[in-house]
Amino acid sequence: MKIALLGYGKMGKSIEAIALHRNHTISLIVSDSNSDYDFSNSDVAIDFSIPSVAVSNIKKAIDAGIPVISGTTGWLDQYQDVLDYCNSKNGTFLYASNFSLGVNLFFELNKRLSELMSNTSEYTTEIEEIHHTQKLDAPSGTAITLAEQIIENTHYTNWTLEAPKPNEIHINAKRIENVPGTHEISYNSEIDSINIKHTAHSRQGFAMGAVVAAEWIKDKKGIFSMKDVLNIG
């Protein structure tokens, strides 16, 4: 399979190494500042760029008629526009806030725990996420996904990075050198606490998941998620 890499930072380089190890070819490498490129020799595109160019990258791949998967965060205010664009072009698109198998299992655990906690009023909920200092957006896309799952199943209506109101989930976003990614959900009451936590030890899990998603989505049409790739949920 011939893979176009849109974004060539640390994640792009990790994806390249895993793709080559799995006998794929890197057909195109696009830096974040490069706006002139050709998908004609590619089977699928993987976008791990930056928020300011992600939407353009995704739409260009859709225009070229090749499946595109994206793990770039910080642009989701335009997410529905991208979905509408993909549908209008009969394209193929998959977005994940996190491609790690472990994190996607963690999403399912978080969803189930929030369902179990939905009828309790004694607990307040908080999310803590920690990433490396090079991560540009805060909170992380993974933290937003976790918060949205909790909001869907409980009385909470919003998340915030500031001091929370009673109906808001506080997300404590920290940036610490050389931390690939840690996410923890806490339910706290006066008498006890319930915590679930996922800790990434390297970027390899994210990169592997992105390549697996690219292998899965080749020759498909439509809009997908990692649930489809992993057949969970």
Side-chain angles (χ1 to χ4, degrees), residues 1 9 15 25 64 86 95 105 126 135 137 148 157 159 173 211 213:
M1 184 172 65
I15 290 169
T25 301
C86 182
Y95 168 77
L105 295 173
E126 182 178 25
K135 185 167 179 61
D137 56 313
E148 288 175 343
T157 59
W159 57 264
V211 174

Side-chain angles (χ1 to χ4, degrees), residues 106 110 125-131 139-140 142-144 146-147 150 160-161 169-176 179 181-188 194-199:
F106 188 63
N110 176 61
T125 309
E126 182 178 25
I127 299 173
E128 180 179 86
E129 60 101 340
I130 308 171
H131 281 87
S140 68
T142 302
I144 292 173
L146 292 165
I150 296 168
T160 181
L161 293 169
I169 302 168
H170 180 231
I171 300 179
N172 184 13
K174 298 180 179 179
R175 297 294 174 262
I176 299 174
V179 176
T182 299
H183 296 85
E184 183 170 13
I185 318 295
S186 301
Y187 289 87
N188 300 304
I194 301 171
N195 301 69
I196 57 173
K197 182 177 181 180
H198 178 272
T199 303

Side-chain angles (χ1 to χ4, degrees), residues 94-161:
L94 185 154
Y95 168 77
S97 59
N98 197 307
F99 282 92
S100 161
L101 171 60
V103 165
N104 281 278
L105 295 173
F106 188 63
F107 285 153
E108 294 304 305
L109 182 61
N110 176 61
K111 180 181 176 182
R112 180 57 179 146
L113 180 57
S114 66
E115 290 170 348
L116 293 171
M117 300 297 290
S118 63
N119 293 321
T120 63
S121 59
E122 296 85 1
Y123 293 86
T124 58
T125 309
E126 182 178 25
I127 299 173
E128 180 179 86
E129 60 101 340
I130 308 171
H131 281 87
H132 51 86
T133 53
Q134 288 77 40
K135 185 167 179 61
L136 299 178
D137 56 313
S140 68
T142 302
I144 292 173
T145 298
L146 292 165
E148 288 175 343
Q149 288 181 318
I150 296 168
I151 289 167
E152 185 176 349
N153 292 301
T154 64
H155 71 280
Y156 289 102
T157 59
N158 199 8
W159 57 264
T160 181
L161 293 169

Side-chain angles (χ1 to χ4, degrees), residues 57-116:
N57 283 340
I58 293 163
K59 288 185 175 181
K60 284 181 179 180
I62 292 170
D63 286 340
I66 70 166
V68 55
I69 70 172
S70 178
T72 304
T73 57
W75 60 271
L76 293 184
D77 56 329
Q78 300 178 73
Y79 180 68
Q80 188 59 52
D81 172 62
V82 168
L83 297 189
D84 293 342
Y85 191 83
C86 182
N87 283 326
S88 72
K89 298 283 187 174
N90 192 31
T92 308
F93 175 59
L94 185 154
Y95 168 77
S97 59
N98 197 307
F99 282 92
S100 161
L101 171 60
V103 165
N104 281 278
L105 295 173
F106 188 63
F107 285 153
E108 294 304 305
L109 182 61
N110 176 61
K111 180 181 176 182
R112 180 57 179 146
L113 180 57
S114 66
E115 290 170 348
L116 293 171

